[in-house]
Amino acid sequence: MRRHIVCLTFDFDTQSGFIARGMTGPTALSRGEFGLVGARRILSLLGEHRLRATWFIPGFTIESHPTACADVVRRGHEVAHHSWAHVPPGQQSRDEEEADLVRANEAIARLTGRKARGYRSPSWELSEHTIELLLAHGFQYDSSMMGNDYWPYRARTGDRAELGKPYRFGEETELIEMPISWSLDDYPHFEFVRTANTILPGLQPARIVMKSWLDEFRYMQKSVEWGVLTYTMHPYVIGRGYRMRALEYLIKMLRHAGAVFMTMEDAAAEARARIG
Ligand SMILES: [Zn+2]
């Protein structure tokens, strides 16, 4: 049976990413604070369209903004793991990474009554230990890699990449990878960031980006019988008025085109049954 699944995912970082990058001035922090406004708007929009989504919430946000996070749970969305402090695992020792994983999972368990099933790394950077740690801590899926687009796959450990030698795949694991892409992430399209060394221009017209995202869905429909397409958004980015209008347009068009909206946990379970 033809079935084309869409996962709407929201990384509810608030100020965590700015703090992790050392951007602790009042204006930088207020950009993250705007995520609270954006989250209210997104929850309202999802409610109007009776959609359940997946919210990757850092422990930092759960402990800093408990009411906003309780709203996400109350409205029936999935809460998944997004680190505690939004520090990419590649910048941590194995022990630091595991401690952060446990701390954030405890925050999620206090918020939702159960530990997270899914994980997404800050900035989509994994360490060589991440997959093994996720398995050890009972995770069902990861959503940080880009090895496919519409077809979830088994995450591997022990891939070998050495300069001057052929690439060697490692062992497939039980962890389901729900692939993502920077092209389907609101951040690089919209967010204007100026630092001492770089400028990320962002600020693309929202409708044009959403039309591209819709084309991605249409290509999935054309090219595979069954697939999952994941969009990644941040409340402090997508929550601006004209972008919310564009997101609503996308949701309406996806529904019209026959998209099946699911939480990532449910989509990962369906993918696992198909992968075997
Ligand atoms: Zn994030």
Side-chain angles (χ1 to χ4, degrees):
M1 192 180 82
R2 287 173 59 79
R3 188 164 158 86
H4 299 100
I5 296 166
V6 165
C7 292
L8 300 175
T9 66
F10 298 92
D11 296 1
F12 196 12
D13 296 339
T14 61
Q15 300 96 337
S16 63
F18 295 94
I19 297 171
R21 294 185 188 95
M23 298 166 72
T24 52
T27 301
L29 294 174
S30 73
R31 285 177 81 164
E33 182 182 328
F34 184 72
L36 300 171
V37 177
R40 286 197 293 274
R41 292 176 177 172
I42 292 161
L43 287 173
S44 169
L45 179 66
L46 295 175
E48 281 170 35
H49 291 268
R50 301 186 192 289
L51 295 176
R52 288 176 68 222
T54 298
W55 292 64
F56 291 89
I57 311 185
F60 166 90
T61 299
I62 294 172
E63 295 186 19
S64 305
H65 310 295
T67 309
C69 295
D71 276 351
V72 173
V73 177
R74 189 168 51 77
R75 288 169 178 258
H77 300 290
E78 178 193 1
V79 173
H81 198 297
H82 194 42
S83 84
W84 197 95
H86 213 278
V87 175
Q91 297 175 17
Q92 296 171 311
S93 70
R94 188 185 184 287
D95 286 350
E96 286 169 345
E97 182 178 357
E98 187 165 30
D100 186 276
L101 197 70
V102 169
R103 185 183 180 196
N105 224 352
E106 286 170 352
I108 288 172
R110 283 194 297 273
L111 175 69
T112 68
R114 62 175 208 175
K115 289 184 177 171
R117 304 297 202 273
Y119 174 81
R120 172 174 286 163
S121 67
S123 310
W124 285 330
E125 291 170 23
L126 301 177
S127 79
E128 58 185 321
H129 307 294
T130 306
I131 302 301
E132 163 217 331
L133 287 172
L134 294 176
L135 287 162
H137 288 274
F139 284 81
Q140 300 292 311
Y141 72 86
D142 170 65
S143 182
S144 313
M145 291 196 276
M146 314 183 191
N148 211 314
D149 43 16
Y150 315 131
W151 189 255
Y153 57 100
R154 290 187 181 280
R156 297 181 305 270
T157 55
D159 276 24
R160 282 170 54 194
E162 293 175 74
L163 185 63
K165 294 186 180 177
Y167 192 83
R168 298 284 184 234
F169 281 165
E171 294 287 318
E172 288 189 345
T173 72
E174 284 295 308
L175 195 74
I176 301 295
E177 180 61 36
M178 303 295 285
I180 46 76
S181 163
W182 283 112
S183 67
L184 300 171
D185 181 324
D186 61 354
Y187 188 88
H189 294 294
F190 296 133
E191 205 56 9
F192 174 79
V193 184
R194 185 175 54 203
T195 66
N197 302 318
T198 55
I199 288 182
L200 179 67
L203 304 181
Q204 295 297 306
R207 294 275 173 151
I208 290 177
V209 173
M210 295 297 147
K211 281 179 179 165
S212 297
W213 285 13
L214 184 61
D215 268 343
E216 189 77 32
F217 179 79
R218 290 192 170 125
Y219 190 80
M220 173 169 77
Q221 280 186 310
K222 183 180 163 188
S223 60
V224 296
E225 285 284 306
W226 179 95
V228 183
L229 180 58
T230 296
Y231 299 110
T232 299
M233 291 162 275
H234 300 73
Y236 76 85
V237 178
I238 202 76
R240 296 283 162 188
Y242 73 102
R243 296 175 191 156
M244 289 301 300
R245 294 266 296 173
L247 174 59
E248 181 164 25
Y249 159 83
L250 176 69
I251 287 171
K252 285 178 177 168
M253 295 301 283
L254 286 169
R255 179 157 271 165
H256 184 69
V260 178
F261 291 93
M262 294 177 83
T263 63
M264 193 163 263
E265 178 185 4
D266 291 346
E270 187 167 322
R272 183 184 299 283
R274 285 192 157 252
I275 293 167

